[in-house]
Amino acid sequence: MRVITILLFLSVFLQTAVAGPEQLLIAKANRAYAAGAYTDASATYKKVVSMGLESPELYYNLGNTYFKMNDYAYAILWYERAKRLDPANEDIDFNLRVANNKIADKIEPLPELFYKRWYNGIVTLFSTDTWAGTGIIFFLLSLALGAVYMMSRVMMLRKTGFWLGSVMLLFSFFCLFFAWTGHSLVQNANEAILVSPTVTIKSSPDEKSVDLFVLHEGTKVQLKDQIGSWYEIRISNGSVGWIPAAALEKI
């Protein structure tokens, strides 16, 4: 289990010289975590979340705190939320794998088409902000090279400016497209984590309907539909069914 690096976590929030309420709460939660008071630490971190602060480090800390309390369902929930904000973070991936190994359900996913797997791998290689920032840099470089093409009287510089500027513009397009795709994946990934110890999946949104199969806490599901207080879910092996909304937490 990889341990949180307090200094890295604090650096995210050191944006002003005077500590605000969020920074004070984070410092309090860090002290509680270091002292082994994980219940207090989780409650304080969640206060920061309720104040509207969102960061992969904060969510990662919450995941670690719940992991220390052996609450693997909520550890997975917060690791998944952290991963959405920073999909390339190796520490988040590692701890998420460790937490998933602790839960009861080991569901074999359906095979994914190779080109879709490769494409999603490229999109999630960096965060959306990183792709967008890189795209903007390439676009600015293409503008600068375009200016060289337009203003230079030296034929070699004009050719270099034109062709290299075209390549930079193409790179910019791809980076911005990957940023848009990554953002869409996050916005449209309607997923949740089961937080009830054991849940019987039903054939319809009714307690009296047929029992299909049983799932346990920590399992990730895709939300397909909602009727009242019931969700239709799909798990990674393709099985579908209905589950009470109280049994899950949305990622």
Side-chain angles (χ1 to χ4, degrees), residues 109-125:
L110 291 174
E112 193 174 39
L113 294 174
F114 73 93
Y115 62 85
K116 186 176 181 181
R117 184 173 64 252
W118 290 352
Y119 178 73
N120 288 339
I122 294 173
V123 170
T124 58
L125 189 61

Side-chain angles (χ1 to χ4, degrees), residues 2-3 15-16 35-36 57 61 72 80 82 84 101-102 104 118 127 134 189 193 196 200-201 205 207 222 228:
R2 297 186 182 179
V3 179
Q15 299 177 5
T16 60
E57 292 83 3
N61 274 16
Y72 302 120
E80 288 282 1
R84 284 195 176 181
N101 285 332
K102 298 287 186 179
W118 290 352
S127 68
T134 305
I193 302 297
S196 293
T200 300
I201 310 304
E207 285 288 356
Q222 183 183 11

Side-chain angles (χ1 to χ4, degrees), residues 28-81:
K28 179 182 177 182
N30 288 341
R31 290 193 296 271
Y33 183 94
Y38 302 120
T39 302
D40 293 340
S42 66
T44 308
Y45 284 136
K46 289 175 74 173
K47 283 184 182 179
V48 180
V49 174
S50 69
M51 297 169 74
L53 193 59
E54 184 180 73
S55 78
E57 292 83 3
L58 177 59
Y59 293 171
Y60 177 61
N61 274 16
L62 266 164
N64 285 344
T65 304
Y66 277 108
F67 190 94
K68 289 291 188 180
M69 294 189 290
N70 297 323
D71 190 340
Y72 302 120
Y74 276 96
I76 291 169
L77 174 67
W78 288 105
Y79 288 146
E80 288 282 1
R81 287 172 174 173

